[in-house]
Amino acid sequence: MDRRLPPGAPLPTEPELMEFLGASRNSVREALKALQAMGIVEIRHGFGTYVGPMSFAPMVEGLAFRTVVGHYRGEDSLLQLLELREAVEAGLVSRLAGRLPETDLAELDALVDRMEQRAAQGAGLADTDRAFHATLYRSLDNALLSEVLEAFWDAFHRVRRDLVDVPQDPRVTCRRHREILDAVRAGDAPRAERALRDHFGNVRARLSG
């Protein structure tokens, strides 16, 4: 941070870090290993140590692990993760009502159309569902928000696949997404939030069932 190093930039060598920090070689190596586990640095053996991609991968792994452990302890950990996603998205969707650019609305229309086609074919909807939510919030132009939402999505769906066989009616999933899109396009913020909560309520009911 002090040197304003961007992702991919080389870090000082171990001897340089030892001298700069006044720390032993073991302390420096243990610190670098901890930073690597968090995705902050990347150790390329034989080449050196570099600033990492700063991704949310460790957060996803932690969320997924905690949810699995909670599930096996008898907790409703998957429902808790779903509620976290709902709280974040419900707080955002009303801000989008009537404000999405036409290009994003057209893309969302195409995604819901594709959902309906895939549902009619009996195919899975996970990819188009994910793309819908990512596109919905894209115009907020908040990279951190996008990454956090992706992290919640990754963790939830990874754990759901591993732990719970959730029955679903793809027609209901399509209809819920169409309702969200229609409300946002109409500029009706309360209706948009209500449609989003109905969507999550449907998922919650399937998990509980």
Side-chain angles (χ1 to χ4, degrees), residues 106-119 128 132 174 178 181:
E107 188 171 338
L108 289 165
D109 263 325
L111 284 167
V112 177
D113 288 344
R114 197 179 313 154
M115 270 189 195
E116 291 167 348
Q117 292 167 5
R118 292 178 66 83
T128 45
F132 179 94
C174 294
R178 180 69 73 186
L181 175 55

Side-chain angles (χ1 to χ4, degrees), residues 18-196:
M18 290 164 57
E19 181 178 354
F20 177 71
L21 299 170
S24 69
R25 183 180 297 273
N26 281 344
S27 293
V28 168
R29 286 184 173 176
E30 288 302 313
L32 289 173
K33 286 178 183 176
L35 292 172
Q36 183 180 35
M38 293 187 287
I40 294 173
V41 305
E42 181 182 356
I43 300 173
R44 303 175 193 170
H45 295 288
F47 294 95
T49 304
Y50 299 80
V51 179
M54 308 288 185
S55 78
F56 275 81
M59 175 182 169
V60 174
E61 295 293 340
L63 277 172
F65 182 78
R66 184 193 180 287
T67 304
V68 171
V69 170
H71 177 82
Y72 286 124
R73 287 202 301 251
E75 300 172 2
D76 288 331
S77 52
L78 195 57
L79 281 170
Q80 291 170 14
L81 187 54
L82 178 71
E83 288 172 355
L84 182 58
R85 271 192 63 202
E86 180 182 356
V88 173
E89 293 199 35
L92 294 170
V93 72
S94 61
R95 292 170 52 189
L96 300 169
R99 298 179 181 177
L100 281 190
E102 284 299 324
T103 51
D104 286 1
L105 289 171
E107 188 171 338
L108 289 165
D109 263 325
L111 284 167
V112 177
D113 288 344
R114 197 179 313 154
M115 270 189 195
E116 291 167 348
Q117 292 167 5
R118 292 178 66 83
Q121 296 164 358
L125 304 180
D127 290 345
T128 45
D129 192 344
R130 179 177 192 151
F132 179 94
H133 287 263
T135 303
L136 183 62
Y137 303 108
R138 184 171 60 197
S139 66
L140 294 173
D141 197 25
N142 185 323
L144 180 60
L145 171 65
S146 297
E147 289 188 65
V148 169
L149 290 175
E150 284 286 299
F152 290 165
W153 176 280
D154 277 345
F156 178 80
H157 285 275
R158 183 183 308 178
V159 174
R160 194 198 71 176
R161 286 195 305 270
D162 292 345
L163 294 183
V164 184
D165 182 16
V166 183
Q168 60 178 316
D169 184 340
R171 294 168 300 179
V172 174
T173 301
C174 294
R175 187 167 65 249
R176 295 301 189 201
H177 285 83
R178 180 69 73 186
E179 289 168 355
I180 295 169
L181 175 55
D182 288 347
V184 169
R185 174 182 277 115
D188 190 335
R191 179 183 161 205
E193 182 176 345
R194 190 164 57 250
L196 185 87

